[in-house]
Amino acid sequence: MLIRVADWERIRSGEITLQFRRWTRPTVRAGGTLRTSRGVLAIDAVDVVSRVSRAEAVAAGFPTVTALKSSVEGRKGSLYRIRLRFLGEDPRIELRSSSDVDGLELKADAVALLRLIAANPGVRAADLAASADRAKLRFKADVRKLKAEGLTESLEVGYRLSPRGEAYLRTLD
């Protein structure tokens, strides 16, 4: 679920507590969390709705119901109301800056992927995937696993190793 950059501070402060999306199927679940580069959100409720009140539009950061509806106009699917709140900073940020890799063990294919990123920082995922003869979506899923371990960082384009990722590779050499 993408969140408008302009809404982030208002979500962090609790001013925005709702988001509305038009989906053919929801991409978040009630009771779950959403980890993003700007922080972790709790997803408290996900409901299909047919109407939106002015109070809900305001809670979603819009001045009017019309403004909210125009933000989802032209998209297919049902209208979902997502109740959310800011939980805290992304724990991967602190993990990335750590050099502690004690007990961390990666499979050979994950190590190969880490080495590929180390040798090609800032290269598009599609190009990296092609160079490794892998499907792009599967490649990106595997990079997300490395990111969850605090080993890589996403850049505007491509990836790079985090200090923790560099420390891990040093233990192998």
Side-chain angles (χ1 to χ4, degrees), residues 110-172:
V111 171
L113 181 55
L114 205 58
R115 290 186 192 280
L116 179 64
I117 292 168
N120 300 281
V123 173
R124 288 178 345 119
D127 296 334
L128 286 174
S131 74
D133 197 28
R134 298 179 66 182
K136 181 178 92 169
L137 292 180
R138 183 69 203 152
F139 174 86
K140 290 179 90 168
D142 290 343
V143 171
R144 281 193 298 276
K145 291 175 188 172
L146 294 175
K147 190 175 182 181
E149 294 288 346
L151 300 170
T152 62
E153 299 177 53
S154 294
L155 302 172
E156 189 75 27
V157 174
Y159 314 97
R160 70 175 170 216
L161 293 190
S162 68
R164 187 168 197 238
E166 292 169 353
Y168 184 79
L169 284 185
R170 281 194 302 274
T171 67
L172 300 179

Side-chain angles (χ1 to χ4, degrees), residues 59-80:
F62 293 92
T64 65
V65 172
T66 302
L68 184 148
K69 286 183 176 180
S70 72
S71 75
V72 296
E73 192 174 281
R75 300 198 173 123
K76 295 187 190 288
S78 300
L79 183 62
Y80 287 84

